[in-house]
Amino acid sequence: MTGWRCRTSPSPRRILTTVAAGALLLSGCGVLPGASAGGREPVTVMTWAPDTTGADEVNMAGMPAMARTYARWINDRGGIDGHELKVLTCNEQDTASGASKCARRAVEADVAAVVGSYSGFGRAFLAPLEAAGIPYIGGYGASADEFTSYLSYPVNGGQPALLAGNGRQLAAGCERVALVRPDTLVGDTMPGLLDTGLGTGKHSRSYDIVTTEGATSYDEEAARAIEHADGGCVTAVLGQGTQTFFDSFRRLETEDGAVRISSVLGSVGQSLIDRTGGADSPFEGALVTGWYPEPGDARWNEMREVIRKYAFGDNRIDPGDTGVQTTWIAYTVLKAVIEAMDQPEITGGGISVSLNRGTEVDTGGLTPVLRWRFQDMLGVTAYGRIVNARVTFQMVKDGRLTAGNDDFVDVTNILLDAG
């Protein structure tokens, strides 16, 4: 593949850009604990995400904060296979121009990979990364392009897996389903995915309610959902607007509460449940489809301990947030591939070759074992790079996300049928 670069020593450009980015680097000075002077070269990577305050904008500031915390922890343990980990961060600003700017900064800094990042503007950031041969490891899955680029290594199935899984989750107990979703290109793909999942229970298609994102009220949509669900389930996938929709829904719902509500992680999460009243939240009793085990699962204990010891009270890092969790998993992938390479210098090309040849990543049960060989990928045109098409079924009980099933649910066949 074009764009891969293999060098045995750092170029002058790499040295200069590393110095120029010094204010952004997260690293210690001198020799790493457990490493000898003249040891292996540092590995520089970047993590970006939007850090915004606008009501209708995405804020995922916890992801770069988690990346810096991971670096402090791993460097305190001697680095990754003797390599000091240096993390650059960038505010993507929830804009295409911001995503492109972050990608160009990654190229200028000659990073070995972009790891555990969030952006909905895949076309804006993947082209610069592809031209420079920089792999994109464990993006959040907010952009469809992450599931088609040959240099993208996703750790989850993105929104396609969540919608397919949500349909299967609802098929078990909902006679009728109303879907409330945005009037966007991405929103247009949602009914097909949800309905294919519902079909596993021989259900009829969902009632599709299209609306705008970022509305201040969804009273009309909520009334239609209640009418057409008629004792069944309403699932809303509106991102930031999901809370607003369910506020409207609860105001209009009858006292018997005959309609059950549902959503997917990313639209509903533990922090939103906490913020809206916990056990008194409008999400109490909701069914939720996620990528990973629920926040209280013991498999997150190591991450929680790292946050406790190395985040220094940074309140942007919520261990129950899927962005923070995805960043942890993405850096677990980076660690595994660098250890498997066992090289004095780590390059983007070397990382891609190692992953393409089948380096396996054990995430401690947070995902299935991950591997990115051609035969491991889903192969559907729209999201061919998916290697993890498993989801978890959760429900909100006493204000907490709890497991709704004992293990992961594989939705590979649903995605193949929908594709």
Side-chain angles (χ1 to χ4, degrees), residues 11-333:
S11 67
R13 181 171 68 87
R14 181 174 183 174
I15 296 171
L16 289 172
T17 53
T18 301
V19 172
L24 294 171
L25 290 176
L26 175 72
S27 64
C29 298
V31 180
L32 277 172
S36 60
R40 297 189 166 198
E41 291 201 12
V43 177
T44 302
V45 300
M46 178 177 278
T47 297
W48 63 55
D51 185 354
T52 61
T53 57
D56 298 329
E57 296 176 333
V58 176
N59 187 327
M60 301 295 285
M63 297 180 73
M66 183 69 237
R68 291 192 290 270
T69 298
Y70 186 96
R72 282 191 287 268
W73 169 65
I74 205 69
N75 287 339
D76 198 32
R77 295 159 58 97
I80 303 177
D81 197 30
H83 297 273
E84 179 186 8
L85 178 63
K86 299 185 176 183
V87 173
L88 305 177
T89 61
C90 187
N91 182 1
E92 182 263 8
Q93 299 178 326
D94 199 28
T95 64
S97 60
S100 177
K101 181 179 178 180
C102 287
R104 293 196 304 271
R105 287 177 60 187
V107 173
E108 291 167 1
D110 199 18
V111 302
V114 174
V115 185
S117 297
Y118 182 105
S119 177
F121 304 96
R123 293 182 183 179
F125 69 78
L126 280 166
L129 297 186
E130 289 174 348
I134 297 173
Y136 187 71
I137 299 174
Y140 186 86
S143 165
D145 301 271
E146 295 175 46
F147 301 109
T148 57
S149 170
Y150 68 92
L151 280 179
S152 178
Y153 300 88
V155 299
N156 60 52
Q159 194 167 76
L162 293 180
L163 265 295
N166 192 232
R168 180 167 171 179
Q169 184 178 19
L170 298 181
C174 302
E175 292 185 7
R176 301 179 68 181
V177 175
L179 168 66
V180 184
R181 51 88 173 183
D183 185 12
T184 62
L185 290 176
V186 172
D188 290 344
T189 68
M190 293 180 182
L193 289 162
L194 183 76
D195 291 347
T196 306
L198 285 170
T200 61
K202 303 187 183 304
H203 276 250
S204 59
R205 295 165 62 181
S206 61
Y207 182 78
D208 186 22
I209 300 174
V210 182
T211 188
T212 57
E213 293 183 292
T216 56
S217 174
Y218 290 101
D219 287 354
E220 179 182 344
E221 293 84 352
R224 291 172 59 196
I226 291 170
E227 176 186 355
H228 289 280
D230 190 24
C233 298
V234 172
T235 188
V237 184
L238 293 169
Q240 301 287 96
T242 304
Q243 176 185 346
T244 304
F245 170 79
F246 280 120
D247 285 342
S248 297
F249 180 89
R250 289 304 193 198
R251 286 198 303 270
L252 297 176
E253 188 184 23
T254 58
E255 290 185 4
D256 59 11
V259 179
R260 192 164 194 181
I261 64 173
S262 174
S263 190
V264 299
L265 284 178
S267 287
V268 173
Q270 188 60 58
S271 60
L272 176 59
I273 296 165
D274 294 341
R275 193 167 65 246
T276 55
D280 296 322
S281 163
F283 302 103
E284 181 67 18
L287 300 174
V288 180
T289 307
W291 294 309
Y292 315 126
E294 73 279 6
D297 192 283
R299 285 169 282 188
W300 294 112
N301 284 352
E302 184 177 38
M303 182 191 74
R304 289 180 176 278
E305 182 64 13
V306 169
I307 293 171
R308 187 184 70 80
K309 290 184 64 175
Y310 292 91
F312 307 137
D314 190 336
N315 58 14
R316 293 172 298 174
I317 304 177
D318 176 2
D321 178 73
T322 49
V324 169
Q325 294 170 350
T326 299
T327 302
W328 172 262
I329 294 170
Y331 274 90
T332 301
V333 173

